[in-house]
Amino acid sequence: MELPCSDGRANGKPVEKLWARASLTEPGRPFSEKGQLFSSDRNALADIAVRTLNNLAEHAGCTDRLPDAPTDIPALTAGPEGAAHANGTCEWYRKKDFAGDEQLPDQVLESRTDNRLWDERCGLVLGEERAHRLWESVAADRRHSTVHPPSSIGEWYVSLHTYAGEGAENVQLDSIGYDEPPVEPEPGTAGRGDESMWWASSVCAGKPQIHTMTVSYGYDKVIPPERAEKLFRAYVTDVASRRGCTDTQFPASSAFHTD
């Protein structure tokens, strides 16, 4: 949870915003079914976070308070589902029929869209059959001789992530060189972190946004560079359009090639 607090003080210093988080790590019985939290438990976590933040606001002398937490937070989906069902943060993927390409993921793991969120994700997953078909199609190519077949479900994927506001000012990506410091994306820039991570940037309602794409190990050696670029541009364009963003910066096409 986040709450603006322009008139508060903490530890004798002025504050601008307050944050609170409630989480349940490695949920098991009786909190979940197959590792997924029930709706009632997500409601409870939201209520705890709201109450905690409002208590902090009172101690800091902030004027504003958060309203009561919602009581109808849906349970998460049990896992990836077919791309044809995407209607949230991965809806753009369905609309452009990317899954019709056998070299791209055929499943999605998403959440609802909400422009108030400062952390938004879309996961694209190659189902077990598609991943193995793709590996078999490239296994004879010497350029991919070091690529091992995926050994578990969901091992090959693309993770797309948007950070907003202050969260966008603290993003760090692994660098290409092992002995080099992390890459720190800045608003107004775009580029590549290590061999399987890229970032773009934009400005939405005056706040910076950093958009990232990570391709899983193994799949990053198989996905054609031009398709990786096309995916990332489509994702960032969708987020920027939904949020009314401007000044969008994309990595150069050359950033998607390793040669």
Side-chain angles (χ1 to χ4, degrees):
M1 303 292 177
E2 178 184 85
L3 178 69
C5 180
S6 59
D7 55 347
R9 297 183 70 84
N11 298 322
K13 298 180 181 179
V15 298
E16 295 182 0
K17 292 181 181 179
L18 297 175
W19 290 272
R21 172 182 294 176
S23 62
L24 182 63
T25 58
E26 298 183 5
R29 294 183 180 179
F31 298 104
S32 69
E33 181 179 1
K34 296 182 179 180
Q36 294 295 335
L37 282 177
F38 295 119
S39 175
S40 58
D41 294 308
R42 299 189 76 201
N43 291 337
L45 289 175
D47 182 62
I48 291 170
V50 167
R51 290 174 182 270
T52 299
L53 192 53
N54 284 339
N55 285 336
L56 287 173
E58 182 177 354
H59 286 294
C62 305
T63 299
D64 296 331
R65 300 287 187 275
L66 288 178
D68 292 341
T71 58
D72 57 351
I73 301 175
L76 295 172
T77 57
E81 57 183 355
H85 300 289
N87 60 5
T89 51
C90 298
E91 184 178 18
W92 58 276
Y93 194 76
R94 171 181 61 79
K95 287 184 174 180
K96 292 184 175 293
D97 192 30
F98 280 116
D101 187 333
E102 285 289 321
Q103 293 183 305
L104 295 179
D106 55 337
Q107 299 177 1
V108 301
L109 189 61
E110 62 177 356
S111 62
R112 61 182 174 82
T113 58
D114 189 331
N115 292 346
R116 297 170 298 175
L117 297 178
W118 62 84
D119 190 322
E120 179 180 301
R121 308 185 190 200
C122 167
L124 308 175
V125 181
L126 281 86
E128 187 174 15
E129 292 184 4
R130 176 166 291 196
H132 277 278
R133 284 200 306 269
L134 180 56
W135 177 79
E136 290 171 355
S137 71
V138 302
D141 191 326
R142 287 187 176 182
R143 293 174 300 173
H144 305 296
S145 60
T146 60
V147 178
H148 299 288
S151 58
S152 60
I153 298 175
E155 185 175 336
W156 283 10
Y157 64 84
V158 176
S159 176
L160 298 147
H161 203 151
T162 290
Y163 304 84
E166 293 195 20
E169 298 174 359
N170 297 286
V171 178
Q172 291 188 342
L173 304 179
D174 291 338
S175 59
I176 293 179
Y178 291 107
D179 57 348
E180 296 180 2
V183 176
E184 298 183 359
E186 297 180 356
T189 67
R192 185 172 190 162
D194 71 6
E195 293 184 356
S196 60
M197 304 176 76
W198 295 261
W199 87 87
S201 66
S202 61
V203 178
C204 311
K207 296 182 179 181
Q209 314 263 310
I210 295 295
H211 317 274
T212 66
M213 179 173 75
T214 303
V215 181
S216 65
Y217 181 75
Y219 186 44
D220 62 338
K221 305 295 190 298
V222 174
I223 183 173
E226 64 276 6
R227 285 178 170 80
E229 179 184 10
K230 189 175 181 180
L231 275 184
F232 194 32
R233 291 185 70 94
Y235 166 73
V236 175
T237 298
D238 174 72
V239 176
S241 176
R242 285 193 284 107
R243 298 189 170 197
C245 302
T246 59
D247 301 324
T248 304
Q249 302 293 323
F250 294 99
S253 295
S254 58
F256 293 88
H257 294 263
T258 55
D259 296 333

